[in-house]
């Protein structure tokens, strides 16, 4: 279902209705099929539908590729971006899109987990005990905004369905034909599986997004993935919570007791494994005492050999031999370099006199995504203890590449994105970032089922507040 | 410290600096005093400072009371609101303010809990294992906006300090003298306890709030407590997440198998225990089959006897004998009654033909705060199972008064408020709603401490993703 069939508000209202309908639909207790098995088999039907509609998807994808090729020829689109549109040429890409759907289906359900249970009050002669359960449940309607890569439609739709949410998707305009076809195949498969087709919808225009960002009556959470500008604009305009990250300014700090080999290999990996990623290293701080030793020149040489341009403060610049600096890849840093997410083979370098100075630089300049300490691996290590307690970024690593900040690598199954927010979910966000909890309270059966009133606790009835086994409440 | 000493932006910058400084300060490993014991003893110093400054606080409170009395006389302030300003006349109020501070100090710390730990990769011949820990940490800087009651300053300051956050507080203008004195006593006590005084600050004007709501660079979360209008305006203007609730439209549904005595007592308590509270019942749905039986007339009589005005749909109205309706307290409902949070002794009543119709009414009209089912207490009860799974409000109760939706009653110690948001924290929010988590990853020590790179996982190194005991990472 696409927004061409109606206004953005209609899409939002349909999404809300589909969410509520599916919650009601899947809430009837039944021994034959749990809500999760209905959702998982809907995902498998979606996989089958995608497989059997491969030709139709390829046709839409060819349309998008054709338009993109023309834009590349006109210099209006990068060829890198155009090639990310292509679902079929790169070996394994289509297969991994399909595998993603069944992988999500096979994950444990994030719903109906009892996070804790508590007896609020013991039974009395006149009435039963009162018990409270904190149970995970879906968030509701998600609005997911991303750029280019059409496979994200399938990825996010799978996560939303598995977690019991509805999703409105908006991809990049370059992938609009592919996204529309994928979404309509998913909607049809949902309907065939007995779930509301409105659970997954797409919208196509920026105007739609502008309208949707004000509809907090229908939409519970916005998840943007894309450029800084896109995310910042959404954070400014949205009336509902936004989960995502604008910047990935990741900082490493090499303490005086760092080990050379481990540090060199890990720093080079952090910077060069995928420089365009949000978890690539952008600034490296080095303890003063290492700057005039072979440590820094060895590290600098390894980075230069890997093709990295170094933007250095005076101390780290002057410490390098002319054989290293003469290639033109070592330049003086300006202040702005320490606030720049290069997303390229460029690294800002600065010397600091102490751990405290490094903490202070990180606190001021880091975007709170991923910060890494390089230090001795041996215990006790008060530097590492202080660094990991003191820095409150989403990911705080010790002697580990910043590139590990990733949902797959964290073993979360798959991710909807990486959040640098301070609430709800942070770092790589998997299925459990798409749920929230509700409190269920019940009066336990009793010979005399008297009323359960709050007023009597002003008098003689006492609070118990004792822990219970976290079992799902039975009725 | 109050905003009169500088602009709102300065206050925000100081709060952020104080938060970062306290994180760094309390991050050094030390056997003599854990970070939590420093925070808790700061709270005890605050309690002592409040006790010994009672005269100064009473003086400021008298100023506020004097101004309020003049406003009441001029008909510009309700006497109920004015009396809520008074910290000293009502027996036990001042003592319970003081007790609140030491109670929060005694709560278990919500910080540094390892939510889970996982081995990302086993050690190889060349390098150590890589382990990941999800650990709770503070959110950062909170902006708390509330009306009147000056004791909320102390309450929220205690929660913020215990959870490692900084807080900027804005109370009602009627309590400004009291709030300013309380806040400056707290700030001085913090400083004496070795913590930054900027952790707790107050601002006084609406203009300050307007500026602060745009400073997402410094402020991480806004917590408003007050009228619908206040909360809605803040949700519209804030650039950062908002945790709170605008409406408390709580709905009860009496199913056909409900037990008369329990239902009557619990419905009357839900409506009348404290009608002005957000967790008071505002709408009652009744199954058709009960309307023309003694069940409904007994329930109606009990509500009328408790002083409740009933706004009834045609079916529930015509079923009542004229002896009940003649008092003028039973009137026909209009549509708007089912969307109104009366906050008064008024209840909208409507008959529904089925559980599904009740679910649909609740989904459409409930504000997602607290909804209650009245049904048979016996098992199996598919109605209760369906109701609790289907309704995703923050609090979903079965045969329990809506008035139980409260942090103290839930045993959360104390609450910062009740949230109807769908992300982060919902329902009564205690200390654990003021924290988030970060991911700490470390390379374990190894004979050969080789580099920990992401690149090698494209080749021969394999992911482990096995669970570890959730112990705090040692360094």
């Amino acid at each position: 279902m696409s927004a061409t069939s109606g206004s953005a508000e209609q899409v939002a209202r349909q999404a809300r209705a589909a969410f509520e309908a599916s919650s009601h639909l899947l809430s009837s207790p039944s021994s034959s099929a749990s809500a999760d098995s209905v959702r998982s088999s809907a995902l498998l039907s979606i996989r089958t539908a995608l497989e059997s509609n491969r030709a139709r998807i390829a046709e839409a994808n060819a349309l998008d590729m054709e338009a993109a090729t023309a834009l590349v020829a006109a210099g209006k689109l990068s060829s890198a971006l155009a090639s990310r549109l292509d679902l079929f040429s790169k070996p394994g890409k289509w297969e991994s899109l399909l595998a993603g759907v069944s992988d999500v289906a096979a994950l444990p359900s994030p719903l109906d987990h009892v996070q804790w249970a508590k007896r609020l009050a013991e039974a009395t002669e006149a009435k039963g005990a009162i018990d409270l359960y904190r149970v995970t449940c879906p968030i509701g309607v998600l609005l997911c905004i991303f750029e280019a890569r059409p496979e994200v439609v399938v990825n996010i739709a799978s996560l939303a369905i598995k977690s019991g949410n509805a999703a409105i998707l908006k991809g990049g305009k370059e992938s609009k034909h592919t996204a529309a076809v994928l979404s309509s195949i998913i909607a049809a498969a949902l309907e065939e599986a007995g779930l509301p087709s409105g659970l997954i919808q797409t919208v196509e225009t920026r105007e739609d997004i502008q309208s949707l960002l004000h509809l907090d009556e229908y939409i519970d959470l916005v998840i943007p993935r894309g450029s800084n500008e896109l995310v910042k604009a959404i954070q400014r305009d949205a009336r509902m919570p936004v989960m995502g990250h604008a910047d990935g300014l990741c900082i490493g700090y090499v303490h005086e007791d760092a080990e050379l080999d481990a540090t060199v290999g890990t720093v080079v990996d952090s910077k060069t494994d995928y420089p365009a990623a949000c978890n690539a290293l952008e600034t490296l701080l080095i303890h003063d005492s290492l700057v005039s030793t072979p440590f820094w020149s060895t590290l600098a040489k390894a980075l230069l050999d890997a093709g990295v341009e170094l933007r250095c403060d005076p101390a780290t610049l002057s410490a390098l031999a002319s054989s290293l600096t003469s290639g033109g890849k070592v330049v003086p840093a300006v202040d702005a370099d320490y606030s720049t997410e290069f997303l390229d083979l460029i690294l800002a370098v600065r010397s600091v006199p102490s751990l405290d100075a490094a903490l202070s630089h990180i606190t001021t300049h880091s975007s709170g995504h991923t910060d890494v300490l390089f230090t001795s691996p041996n215990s006790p290590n008060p530097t590492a203890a202080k660094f990991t307690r003191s820095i409150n970024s989403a990911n705080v690593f010790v002697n580990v590449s910043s590139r590990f900040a990733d949902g797959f690598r964290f073993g979360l199954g798959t991710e909807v994105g990486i959040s640098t927010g301070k609430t709800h979910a942070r770092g790589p966000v998997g299925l459990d970032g798409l749920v929230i909890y509700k409190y269920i309270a019940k009066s336990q059966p009793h010979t005399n089922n008297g009323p359960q009133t709050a007023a009597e606790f002003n008098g003689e009835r006492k609070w118990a507040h004792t822990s219970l086994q976290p079992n799902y409440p039975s009725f």
Side-chain angles (χ1 to χ4, degrees), chain A:
Chain A
M1 201 173 305
S2 117
T4 49
S5 67
S7 72
E9 183 166 349
Q10 273 179 319
V11 170
R13 208 182 296 122
Q14 279 165 19
R16 166 64 50 191
F19 166 67
E20 302 290 0
S22 74
S23 293
H24 294 189
L25 200 67
L26 298 179
S27 62
S28 294
S30 144
S31 57
S32 63
S34 74
D36 184 58
S37 68
V38 173
R39 292 192 180 99
S40 297
S41 56
L43 287 176
L44 297 181
S45 311
I46 287 170
R47 186 194 153 123
T48 308
L50 292 170
E51 278 180 296
S52 54
N53 283 283
R54 183 186 160 135
R56 201 175 135 212
I57 298 163
E59 209 173 295
N61 197 225
L63 275 180
D64 285 332
M65 291 297 297
E66 201 176 300
T69 310
L71 286 172
V72 171
K76 288 178 178 164
L77 190 72
S78 77
S79 57
L81 213 150
S83 76
R84 289 166 78 187
L85 292 177
D86 188 344
L87 279 183
F88 296 98
S89 304
K90 197 177 161 200
K93 190 166 179 185
W94 170 249
E95 289 70 24
S96 95
L97 177 154
L98 295 175
V101 181
S102 31
D103 286 354
V104 170
L107 287 172
S109 171
L111 300 172
D112 296 336
H113 292 193
V114 180
Q115 299 180 320
W116 50 257
K118 196 183 276 187
R119 174 141 298 180
L120 296 188
E122 296 294 348
T124 69
E125 209 167 303
K127 52 195 78 179
I130 305 173
D131 291 339
L132 180 71
Y133 308 79
R134 193 165 119 167
V135 181
T136 60
C137 64
I139 289 175
V141 178
L142 316 175
L143 172 61
C144 305
I145 303 163
F146 45 92
E147 295 175 332
R149 299 194 303 155
E151 69 270 28
V152 176
V153 170
V154 178
N155 199 344
I156 295 197
S158 306
L159 291 164
I161 292 165
K162 179 77 179 180
S163 56
N165 295 289
I168 302 170
L169 310 171
K170 158 82 170 69
K173 63 177 181 307
E174 298 80 9
S175 63
K176 68 176 177 186
H177 294 101
T178 317
V181 167
L182 289 171
S183 156
S184 80
I185 292 168
I186 291 169
L190 279 170
E191 199 150 11
E192 225 163 288
L195 288 172
S197 63
L199 283 179
I200 303 296
Q201 300 176 79
T202 49
V203 295
E204 285 181 9
T205 69
R206 276 171 192 245
E207 292 68 39
D208 288 333
I209 293 299
Q210 278 314 111
S211 313
L212 293 172
L213 292 178
H214 286 79
L215 298 175
D216 52 342
E217 187 182 348
Y218 302 119
I219 297 171
D220 298 300
L221 179 65
V222 187
I223 307 178
R225 287 169 63 163
S227 67
N228 282 8
E229 294 68 35
L230 171 80
V231 177
K232 283 192 175 146
I234 286 165
Q235 285 171 330
R236 195 182 53 236
D237 294 339
R239 294 267 171 88
M240 59 292 281
V242 179
M243 182 165 74
H245 68 99
D247 305 294
L249 203 158
C250 306
I251 303 179
Y253 165 57
V254 186
H255 194 57
E256 50 187 337
D257 63 357
E259 294 200 350
L260 183 60
D261 282 356
T263 302
V264 167
T266 310
V267 168
V268 170
D269 184 80
S270 297
K271 180 68 246 183
T272 67
D273 184 52
Y274 187 7
C278 59
N279 57 10
L281 200 68
E282 303 292 9
T283 295
L284 189 68
L285 306 174
I286 300 182
H287 192 277
D288 267 355
S289 65
L290 298 174
V291 170
S292 50
T293 69
F295 193 110
W296 165 229
S297 41
T298 309
L299 176 55
K301 184 169 185 311
L303 285 161
L304 290 165
D305 287 349
V308 179
E309 174 183 318
L310 302 176
R311 301 199 179 168
C312 296
D313 73 335
T316 55
L317 182 61
S318 65
L320 295 180
S322 61
S323 61
L324 291 177
T325 56
S326 60
K329 297 286 268 182
V330 182
V331 300
V334 295
D335 270 357
D337 288 327
Y338 300 110
S339 309
T340 301
E341 187 183 4
F342 299 109
L343 296 172
D344 203 347
L345 285 173
I346 302 170
L347 185 66
V349 182
R350 189 179 185 182
S351 61
V352 289
S354 63
L355 170 64
D356 280 341
L359 293 177
S360 164
H361 179 104
I362 292 172
T363 297
T364 314
H365 294 87
S366 165
S367 65
H369 187 298
T370 303
D371 298 304
V372 186
L373 169 69
F374 298 94
T375 184
S376 160
N378 301 323
S379 296
N381 186 331
T383 305
K386 176 156 188 167
F387 187 89
T388 51
R389 283 188 189 269
S390 186
I391 298 296
N392 285 311
S393 296
N395 306 293
V396 185
F397 292 176
V398 179
N399 294 327
V400 168
S401 168
S402 61
R403 290 278 296 142
F404 280 82
D406 170 277
F408 172 72
R409 290 167 184 179
F410 275 13
L412 304 183
T414 182
E415 70 181 31
V416 279
I418 294 190
S419 169
T420 56
K422 302 292 184 66
T423 52
H424 191 66
R426 311 177 79 194
V429 178
L431 271 180
D432 78 347
L434 296 184
V435 303
I436 182 68
Y437 56 80
K438 60 183 170 187
Y439 287 104
I440 299 177
K442 65 173 284 197
S443 167
Q444 295 289 2
H446 187 269
T447 331
N448 307 304
N449 284 301
Q452 299 285 13
T453 66
E456 65 188 317
F457 288 86
N458 298 328
E460 54 191 73
R461 201 165 179 198
K462 297 281 167 261
W463 298 103
H465 293 154
T466 47
S467 289
L468 296 177
Q469 281 297 319
N471 298 321
Y472 198 89
S474 63
F475 289 102

